[in-house]
Amino acid sequence: MRKLDIFNHIWPKPFFDALIDHIGEMTDITRRSGDVPMMTELDRRFEVMDMFGPDYSQVLSLASPPLEKLCDPAKALELSRIGSDSLAELCAKYPDRFPAFIGTAPMNNPDAVVEESRRAIEDLGASGMQIFTNVSGKPLDLPEFDPFFDYMAKSGKPVWLHPARGANFTDYLTEKESEYEIWWTFGWPYETSAAMARLVFSGVFDRHPGLNVITHHAGGMVPYFEGRVGPGWDQMGARTSNKDLAAVRKALKRPHLEYFKDFYADTATFGSRKAIEHAIEFFGEDHVVFASDAPFDPEAGPMYIRETIRILEELDVSEETRAKLFHGNTERLLGLKG
């Protein structure tokens, strides 16, 4: 069965060289990425991919951190162009291994982000665009980002939503930074969930019908808190006296829980079978796509791919459903040939 890995990460050599030229020494999450050979060495990537047979292929995307964390708007645009160009070159050179790629939207450059997204999708053939859950601390539902979502909805291509949060997002108001990498372990699922909620309640999906968003890591916290998201938020406004939040909920064209179920979720759950099962239960078998989050595992590449494939192969589902999860949903969503 074809296994199409929709969310894994790479730094192509032209992009990596330009990144290092800009930032110099790598630190924190950038250093973590740079220390993984599969991120920058194509021979190692092919070696890992070969472990899973000729039916395994990857949709390529750049890795964290967001460009806006590292660059001013002009430099973010330059690096995003280099990234998309080099990903397109890899797909053209190795179409069997890399049938598609995701462009990177320079969201801190609102004057250029739509044109760069158009260039990546219409000129280079990107299957969609990757953004992060906040833009230098700004929420995604600000008016300055609306033209991007408008273009993406009209393009028919999905948005990949990757969490972004660092140690500067503190866990307690009295501290200067998050301890024990709580900012990553619990912070990233929260980031994803918060961004999803902002898109829903701000009316982004009502304003831009047809917009498809793929959430990383099985939809963050949302599937596990269906009761709070659904019946809990049915009472939105009951806990707040300084603004009319009930009016926000009532202004939506549909019940809010339906919007949350319209998101897509990937299977990149670090080997958690229950997380994948719960994502399928919440989003439905037509809205879950196979992804590994390679190469960020303790084995620097093979583990998350291997464990995710094993879980999907062992799930108590029909072969028709398994085919949807491994490749069918992605082919439909991205417009790829089966």
Side-chain angles (χ1 to χ4, degrees):
M1 183 178 292
R2 185 183 191 190
K3 299 173 180 66
L4 187 51
D5 190 339
I6 197 172
F7 220 152
N8 60 91
H9 304 292
I10 190 172
W11 276 344
K13 190 176 189 308
F15 174 81
F16 183 62
D17 290 345
L19 178 68
I20 296 304
D21 182 64
H22 176 65
I23 66 173
E25 183 182 3
M26 293 184 292
T27 59
D28 299 329
I29 198 167
T30 311
R31 184 181 65 186
R32 188 278 301 259
S33 297
D35 286 345
V36 179
M38 189 176 161
M39 275 289 295
T40 56
E41 298 175 14
L42 209 54
D43 287 345
R44 175 56 182 164
R45 180 169 290 262
F46 290 160
E47 184 180 9
V48 171
M49 293 178 69
D50 287 343
M51 297 177 186
F52 306 101
D55 294 326
Y56 174 77
S57 58
Q58 296 182 336
V59 176
L60 297 176
S61 61
L62 299 182
S64 293
L67 294 179
E68 57 264 18
K69 180 180 179 181
L70 306 173
C71 312
D72 62 26
K75 192 66 177 183
L77 175 61
E78 177 187 338
L79 287 179
S80 70
R81 291 177 65 91
I82 294 171
S84 292
D85 288 344
S86 53
L87 290 176
E89 289 174 5
L90 286 174
C91 290
K93 189 172 183 180
Y94 306 102
D96 292 337
R97 291 189 182 273
F98 310 129
F101 77 95
I102 311 163
T104 297
M107 295 292 280
N108 66 332
N109 193 329
D111 294 333
V113 66
V114 172
E115 172 55 27
E116 175 55 20
S117 299
R118 186 212 61 77
R119 187 190 78 91
I121 291 171
E122 298 178 29
D123 296 348
L124 300 180
S127 289
M129 300 300 291
Q130 178 176 231
I131 66 173
F132 291 81
T133 48
N134 69 81
V135 182
S136 299
K138 293 181 179 180
L140 295 175
D141 59 353
L142 293 182
E144 66 191 84
F145 305 128
D146 223 41
F148 168 76
F149 291 116
D150 182 61
Y151 170 75
M152 292 306 297
K154 292 174 179 175
S155 76
K157 299 297 183 182
V159 173
W160 274 257
L161 183 62
H162 194 292
R165 173 177 284 232
N168 61 314
F169 282 75
T170 62
D171 309 306
Y172 296 93
L173 293 176
T174 57
E175 296 182 337
K176 293 184 178 180
E177 66 177 29
S178 173
E179 296 291 344
Y180 314 117
E181 296 183 353
I182 292 171
W183 59 267
W184 180 87
T185 305
F186 298 125
W188 278 21
Y190 173 82
E191 272 284 331
T192 299
S193 309
M196 292 166 72
R198 293 295 291 255
L199 293 176
V200 168
F201 290 113
S202 66
V204 166
F205 294 105
D206 284 343
R207 293 194 301 276
H208 309 296
L211 177 66
N212 290 313
V213 178
I214 303 168
T215 62
H216 210 7
H217 310 132
M221 298 161 55
V222 171
Y224 317 102
F225 293 99
E226 181 175 3
R228 300 179 77 92
V229 173
W233 255 330
D234 281 338
Q235 305 168 70
M236 179 185 284
R239 311 167 190 88
T240 305
S241 58
N242 66 334
K243 59 184 71 172
D244 186 5
L245 292 181
V248 171
R249 176 173 47 81
K250 292 175 182 177
L252 296 175
K253 294 181 179 179
R254 296 183 288 147
H256 65 273
L257 189 59
E258 292 184 13
Y259 295 87
F260 283 96
K261 289 180 177 288
D262 279 346
F263 284 94
Y264 286 79
D266 71 25
T267 62
T269 59
F270 314 101
S272 171
R273 176 187 180 123
K274 288 298 182 182
I276 293 173
E277 290 176 339
H278 204 14
I280 296 171
E281 290 172 0
F282 181 83
F283 295 104
E285 63 183 44
D286 293 327
H287 275 237
V288 176
V289 290
F290 167 51
S292 66
D293 210 9
F296 300 125
D297 61 68
E299 298 174 11
M303 179 182 171
Y304 288 163
I305 302 173
R306 181 181 66 246
E307 291 305 300
T308 307
I309 289 175
R310 178 186 62 79
I311 290 167
L312 292 179
E313 288 181 337
E314 292 177 355
L315 285 180
D316 184 19
V317 297
S318 68
E319 286 305 295
E320 179 184 6
T321 296
R322 205 180 322 277
K324 288 181 181 181
L325 301 173
F326 268 131
H327 64 92
N329 292 337
T330 293
E331 290 164 352
R332 170 179 51 82
L333 185 58
L334 274 55
L336 300 176
K337 294 181 180 179

